[in-house]
Amino acid sequence: MPEEKMICPPFIRHGEKSRTVMLDVLLALVPALIWSIYIFGARAAVLCAIGIAFAVAAEFCCDLAARRRRSVVDFSAAVTGLLIAFGLPVSAPLWMPALLSVFAVVVVKKLCGGIGRNLFNPAAAALCLAHVVFPETMEKFTRPFAYFSSYVIRLTEASIATARVNTSLDKLAVGSVDIPNIWNEFYGLTAGNLGEISVLMLLLGFLYLAFRKNIKPLPPLLYVATVFIVTFFFANGDSEPIYFALMHTFSGSVFLAAVFMCSDYTTTPYTKLGGAVFAVGSALLTVLLRYFGDYGASSYFAVLLMNALTPVIEKYTLTMPFGRAGMTAKSKKAKKGGARG
């Protein structure tokens, strides 16, 4: 079978070639990429390029060692590398996206059999690892337009300190809502991780994927809506519930996780009801982890926990097509009758 006719496992359900789908995902990430470079400078572009390059190289080496068909051409590794870089602050050392991308591709993806067979989202797993192993590095945020050198492997503490600021999530962690900054969070004129800062740019990516019919719009919408509703009715900040809920919804990784992780073909349920259960469960866990744990990594840990439950969710939300049960019983009966004869 010619290579262009082959379809990788997770996209059999979707009816699209994996290369086409992943290329669309990359295009959907472009607005957030351009915005991150505008806000944080060329170092943001370098971090993203390193993440992509090492993810692609790791996939190529794994395929070469296993003597498999070169799955690197399907762009899935590039998507993983870019998502990992999007979850990092611009102050991160240049080796970090490289290390995390190799971990995501080799350990989380390839050791589980490759695209379509991994249980956990590779990018989410890598970012959770970063928050566990390098918590201090993941908390060094700098103000917008404070550009740093693009090719310095590791920025000095002094250079970071001159531009370091607290994010809206940092303030939420102590119950303070930065009300004047709410719409800056929506547009992306704020401090934060590279690809998380602009809700508007991520929404553009969502609309593109929905238009191309590469994702089911319901799970991302349910995820965002659930975060808003829960934080509205269980607000514990120093402002009106509406402002508290908006800040929780607009800040951090809520929209990045909603659009690009709650709609992942491989690691989320393929049933309609299962996708809804996954999204609502992820949102509830996100809020729970924010209230009692790490604000920065809450969405990624929530997605990983729900990834582990995906097989169970699929099992209990899979509906039997009309007539299938009767056909199965009938075929069993015919088989028994043939055995007797």
Side-chain angles (χ1 to χ4, degrees), residues 21 30 54 90 101 108 113 130-131 134 157 177 193 203 210 226 255 298:
V21 173
V30 167
F54 274 82
V90 71
S101 293
V108 183
H131 279 273
F134 310 108
E157 292 296 328
V177 180
N193 292 323
L203 277 176
T226 304
F255 272 82
S298 56

Side-chain angles (χ1 to χ4, degrees), residues 231-244:
T231 53
F232 179 85
F233 285 104
F234 296 94
N236 60 4
D238 60 358
S239 69
E240 294 294 325
I242 183 66
Y243 298 124
F244 182 80

Side-chain angles (χ1 to χ4, degrees), residues 3 36 66 71 86 103 107 126 131 177 227 244 246 265 318-319 336:
E3 183 178 278
S36 70
S71 60
F86 272 15
F103 168 79
V107 178
H131 279 273
V177 180
V227 169
F244 182 80
L246 283 174
Y265 293 107
L318 181 63
T319 56
K336 288 181 179 180

Side-chain angles (χ1 to χ4, degrees), residues 128-333:
C128 287
L129 176 70
H131 279 273
V132 171
V133 180
F134 310 108
E136 292 185 1
T137 301
M138 298 296 290
E139 295 171 0
K140 294 177 180 178
F141 299 105
T142 55
R143 65 177 181 271
F145 308 113
Y147 298 151
F148 297 99
S149 173
S150 304
Y151 304 108
V152 174
I153 301 296
R154 188 183 186 93
L155 298 176
T156 64
E157 292 296 328
S159 63
I160 296 175
T162 59
R164 190 167 179 179
V165 294
N166 289 327
T167 65
S168 297
L169 276 182
D170 293 329
K171 296 174 183 177
L172 277 176
V174 295
S176 177
V177 180
D178 189 4
I179 295 177
N181 203 37
I182 286 179
W183 290 105
N184 285 339
E185 293 285 339
F186 178 81
Y187 293 115
L189 298 169
T190 186
N193 292 323
L194 299 181
E196 298 175 359
I197 58 171
S198 177
V199 171
L200 177 60
M201 296 299 123
L202 294 172
L203 277 176
L204 292 177
F206 168 74
L207 292 174
Y208 174 76
L209 291 175
F211 173 76
R212 292 280 293 165
K213 298 182 179 179
N214 284 330
I215 64 171
K216 299 174 183 177
L218 184 60
L221 292 175
L222 278 176
Y223 180 92
V224 173
T226 304
V227 169
F228 178 85
I229 292 170
V230 174
T231 53
F232 179 85
F233 285 104
F234 296 94
N236 60 4
D238 60 358
S239 69
E240 294 294 325
I242 183 66
Y243 298 124
F244 182 80
L246 283 174
M247 186 58 81
H248 263 284
T249 306
F250 290 164
S251 58
S253 54
V254 168
F255 272 82
L256 186 67
V259 178
F260 296 100
M261 294 180 182
C262 286
S263 59
D264 181 44
Y265 293 107
T266 305
T267 59
T268 63
Y270 61 86
T271 61
K272 186 175 181 179
L273 178 59
V277 171
F278 183 95
V280 172
S282 297
L284 291 174
L285 284 172
T286 297
V287 176
L288 187 66
L289 290 170
R290 282 189 172 187
Y291 282 9
F292 300 103
D294 187 345
Y295 268 57
S298 56
S299 297
Y300 304 128
F301 278 110
V303 167
L304 281 190
L305 290 171
M306 292 305 294
N307 285 160
L309 296 176
T310 291
V312 178
I313 296 172
E314 286 182 343
K315 178 181 178 180
Y316 288 102
T317 58
L318 181 63
T319 56
M320 185 70 72
F322 180 76
R324 171 65 66 83
M327 290 288 290
T328 303
K330 190 175 181 179
S331 62
K332 286 182 178 180
K333 186 176 180 180

Side-chain angles (χ1 to χ4, degrees), residues 52-120:
I52 294 172
F54 274 82
V56 170
E59 179 127 345
F60 178 81
C61 292
C62 288
D63 289 342
L64 192 65
R67 298 181 181 179
R68 295 176 179 172
R69 184 180 67 87
R70 302 292 183 265
S71 60
V72 70
V73 297
D74 63 21
F75 298 111
S76 62
V79 170
T80 297
L82 186 54
L83 284 174
I84 288 171
F86 272 15
L88 300 177
V90 71
S91 60
L94 297 184
W95 52 260
M96 184 169 283
L99 175 66
L100 296 178
S101 293
V102 171
F103 168 79
V105 171
V106 176
V107 178
V108 183
K109 181 180 176 183
K110 285 299 184 179
L111 289 184
C112 293
I115 186 171
R117 298 179 180 87
N118 49 291
L119 177 62
F120 298 102

